[in-house]
Amino acid sequence: MSLLPLADTSFVDATWIMLVKSVLIFIVILSIVPVVLLAERKLLGRFQQRYGPNRVGPYGALQPLADVGKLLSKQSFRPEGAVPFLYEIAPSISIISAIITLAILPFGDVQGDWGLYGIDVPIGILYFFAFGSLSFYGLLLGGWASGSKYSFLGAMRAAAQLISYEVAMGLSLLGVVMMAGSLSLVDIVKAQGEMWYVVPQFVGFLIFLVGGFAETNRPPFDLPEADAELVAGYSTEYGGMRFGSYFFAEYMEVLIVSGITATMFLGGWMGPGPSWLDPIWMLAKMFVLTFFFIWIRATLPRFRYDQLMTFGWKILLPLATLNVLITAILVVVL
């Protein structure tokens, strides 16, 4: 009797290469998140005709470093009614789930003895949803373990929002999966050699992008942190780097959603020029989508909660279902 493998991959790197990749992924994301934060504050200043950060360092470039130093120097505090272990581990769950999800983002094809991605598993999309959903527990545990009713209400809002929009996001990717005939992100990118899937799957692209705003708690879907109603939602009782960890995870999730969108709909690393430009093309597409996240934040006001739920269940879900049905018919007929 043969034993089933615990994991199946189309290409396996050497152990030392996997270790180097793990360190590089962590270092790169730690470096990119402060850059995205600074870019957001600068761009919001431009959009709103005001000054952005311009005091710390040249053109305010060291402002993220100053913010981290401020958070690190703050006194650690825990409410008396909090559940100690769960209260402290909740922010870590959000960060860990985001970092693990980064492993499947492909920045290029196999180059000699190594691939320009963490891992290539044949269930890449399921991997993304499985580990991405773990951040849900970080938000829910953080709100419940804080011992505050406001935090708990914010956590319940986050749970309802994530579940509502994750269904539509999953359906929006089924059309791409059916056209590519694979769940592997690397195979999906290779299948877009002649035409990016944003053309035949434009409806799915829009649904996934809108769902990405809700999954990352970004405006206009930032209801879990609606300060006018819930103080600051699930993170109300957090301070210092525990507070910073939640928002560090949020910016990582923005990059992940941008990376998945670029991979599934915009050809991933595909672009003109030699193969060594592949990671640059992938990062460029991710930054363009991240800029779009910032642009929407500066443009649209926050939804009401009933509008958010109505839009998710009565508009996005039927559209995603219809898109899957039409794609299935066309794939079978053509």
Side-chain angles (χ1 to χ4, degrees), residues 14 23 72 75 81 94 106 125 130-131 160 184 211 215 221 256:
V23 174
L72 286 172
Q75 181 181 3
S94 297
I125 298 303
F131 284 100
S184 165
E215 287 290 297
F221 299 97
I256 291 168

Side-chain angles (χ1 to χ4, degrees), residues 95-327:
I95 289 184
I96 292 171
S97 66
I99 292 175
I100 292 175
T101 309
L102 281 169
I104 62 168
L105 285 182
F107 290 87
D109 203 355
V110 177
Q111 305 286 338
D113 296 329
W114 54 285
L116 291 173
Y117 44 77
I119 55 174
D120 174 26
V121 290
I123 55 168
I125 298 303
L126 299 181
Y127 180 105
F128 162 67
F129 281 107
F131 284 100
S133 298
L134 288 179
S135 61
F136 155 82
Y137 294 100
L139 307 184
L140 193 62
L141 281 178
W144 177 78
S146 295
S148 166
K149 291 182 175 62
Y150 288 107
S151 298
F152 184 63
L153 285 172
M156 294 304 294
R157 275 192 173 188
Q161 179 172 315
L162 292 179
I163 292 171
S164 300
Y165 281 81
E166 203 164 72
V167 178
M169 285 182 71
L171 288 175
S172 69
L173 297 182
L174 278 182
V176 172
V177 171
M178 286 189 288
M179 293 185 68
S182 175
L183 289 168
S184 165
L185 296 184
V186 174
D187 291 343
I188 289 172
V189 173
K190 291 179 180 178
Q192 299 178 67
E194 296 182 359
M195 180 174 61
W196 293 356
Y197 285 147
V198 68
V199 178
Q201 287 293 316
F202 187 70
V203 174
F205 168 74
L206 293 179
I207 292 171
F208 185 80
L209 201 57
V210 172
F213 282 101
E215 287 290 297
T216 55
N217 295 331
R218 297 284 297 182
F221 299 97
D222 55 338
L223 270 297
E225 303 158 16
D227 50 344
E229 309 159 33
L230 298 170
V231 189
Y234 58 86
S235 60
T236 299
E237 302 297 338
Y238 283 90
M241 270 316 293
R242 289 176 184 154
F243 170 84
S245 297
Y246 271 125
F247 289 93
F248 186 80
E250 180 179 303
Y251 281 96
M252 281 198 291
E253 288 166 2
V254 169
L255 290 172
I256 291 168
V257 170
S258 299
I260 295 294
T261 306
T263 300
M264 300 294 290
F265 297 99
L266 302 178
W269 67 76
M270 298 284 185
S275 59
W276 60 268
L277 287 175
D278 291 351
I280 297 176
W281 280 116
M282 181 65 177
L283 286 172
K285 294 172 184 178
M286 289 175 62
F287 280 124
V288 168
L289 290 167
T290 302
F291 169 81
F292 185 67
F293 273 80
I294 299 170
W295 184 12
I296 293 299
R297 176 179 179 178
T299 305
L300 298 181
R302 178 184 294 145
F303 285 176
R304 295 197 316 265
Y305 197 71
D306 62 310
Q307 293 174 329
L308 178 138
M309 284 299 175
T310 299
F311 187 69
W313 288 108
K314 294 184 179 181
I315 298 178
L316 282 191
L317 185 57
L319 271 178
T321 305
L322 184 62
N323 181 63
V324 170
L325 290 175
I326 294 174
T327 302

